[in-house]
Amino acid sequence: MRIRLQKIIADAGITSRRKAEELILAGRVTVNGQVVAELGSKADPEHDHIKVDGKLLRRAQRHVYLLLNKPVGYVSTVSDPQRRPTVISLIKGVKERVYPVGRLDFHSSGLILLTNDGELANLLMSRAVAVPRTYHVKLESSPKREDLAKLEHGIVLDGQRTAPAKIRVLTERDKPWYEITLTEGRNHQVRRMFERIGCPVVKLKRVRIAFLTDDALAPGRFRHLSPAEVARLKSWKASP
Ligand code: URA
């Protein structure tokens, strides 16, 4: 059966469907020896020889869904040009090639999903679905109430207004802890938002992705999602 190339690449666990499109456009994908650089091209994963960067794709694998508690000091990419430790190095005893869904900064900790299911990765990253992610942040100083209201309402970052956010105080100290829930994930978004109101983040931990939380997961440990959790994520809809 002929299927879109980006789906075949995502299903083989190489990367998400969106990233696969970038690989195709960059001319890094060949089908039976010919570069295919157009989106929408199809191939037959059973019979065609599909290569990414010269490497033959393996057949679709069993889908794996992992929830990792990332410690500070790990990059959330599959490889790192600076040779820093990656989240993948924490995944022991899983033979499938998984990759992280979205990012957590090197200096951030907390929950991150890893999978080889390009379809689900794509869904969770899509703006339309707007999966909420909740962070606990320790701030350098106490923010003003009106500044928090600005962040909740939306501020302009990179020329685009941020989506509404929910913020609540967790502990009032000279370096207070706050909880913030976002439905989008721009680069360093939480840090940049608090920076904007003059209260830099000194610690950042992601504590929830959609409905997924896990207090029992020690830093550096991961667990497989249950079939019910996977089904619930797959049918996740943005709240109106
Ligand atoms: N926002 C940030 O600034 N950093 C993260 O790691 C996640 C969200």
Side-chain angles (χ1 to χ4, degrees), residues 68 74-75 77-78 84-92 114 220:
L68 169 73
Y74 284 77
V75 285
T77 49
V78 172
R84 292 170 298 178
T86 70
V87 287
I88 303 297
S89 68
L90 296 167
I91 307 301
K92 303 264 160 49
L114 297 106

Side-chain angles (χ1 to χ4, degrees), residues 103-106 108 135 182 186-192 204 206:
R103 296 272 167 93
L104 262 184
D105 297 339
F106 183 72
S108 301
Y135 303 87
L182 301 180
R186 301 200 218 160
N187 221 3
H188 312 303
Q189 183 165 348
V190 175
R191 292 178 195 275
R192 288 197 293 156
L204 189 155
R206 182 150 66 200

Side-chain angles (χ1 to χ4, degrees), residues 130-223:
V131 173
R133 293 172 176 87
T134 300
Y135 303 87
H136 286 176
V137 289
K138 184 180 186 183
L139 303 178
E140 190 59 60
S141 55
S142 287
K144 292 198 201 104
R145 203 180 258 267
E146 62 267 29
D147 284 339
L148 290 176
K150 277 186 203 155
L151 296 188
E152 286 196 307
H153 186 68
I155 57 164
V156 177
L157 281 184
D158 304 327
Q160 232 192 344
R161 187 164 287 284
T162 56
K166 280 192 196 130
I167 303 180
R168 71 184 178 101
V169 66
L170 295 173
T171 57
E172 299 264 22
R173 302 216 186 106
D174 56 331
K175 286 196 190 344
W177 280 89
Y178 276 79
E179 179 180 280
I180 177 165
T181 300
L182 301 180
T183 54
E184 53 181 2
R186 301 200 218 160
N187 221 3
H188 312 303
Q189 183 165 348
V190 175
R191 292 178 195 275
R192 288 197 293 156
M193 286 172 74
F194 283 102
E195 186 89 37
R196 179 67 66 81
I197 59 164
C199 299
V201 167
V202 291
K203 273 190 188 159
L204 189 155
K205 183 170 192 243
R206 182 150 66 200
V207 296
R208 194 178 315 120
I209 302 169
F211 55 87
L212 293 169
T213 57
D214 208 324
D215 293 340
L217 212 51
R221 305 304 292 261
F222 70 92
R223 69 169 175 88

Side-chain angles (χ1 to χ4, degrees), residues 2-12 17 20-21 24 29-31 34-45 48-52 57:
R2 290 174 65 76
I3 302 174
R4 280 176 189 259
L5 256 186
Q6 57 264 47
K7 177 161 165 49
I8 299 173
I9 296 169
D11 285 348
R17 207 190 274 202
E21 290 179 356
I24 294 169
V29 178
T30 57
V31 177
Q34 301 288 316
V35 172
V36 176
E38 280 124 50
L39 292 182
S41 306
K42 291 185 175 176
D44 181 343
D48 291 326
H49 281 91
I50 302 158
K51 291 185 178 176
V52 175
L57 288 199

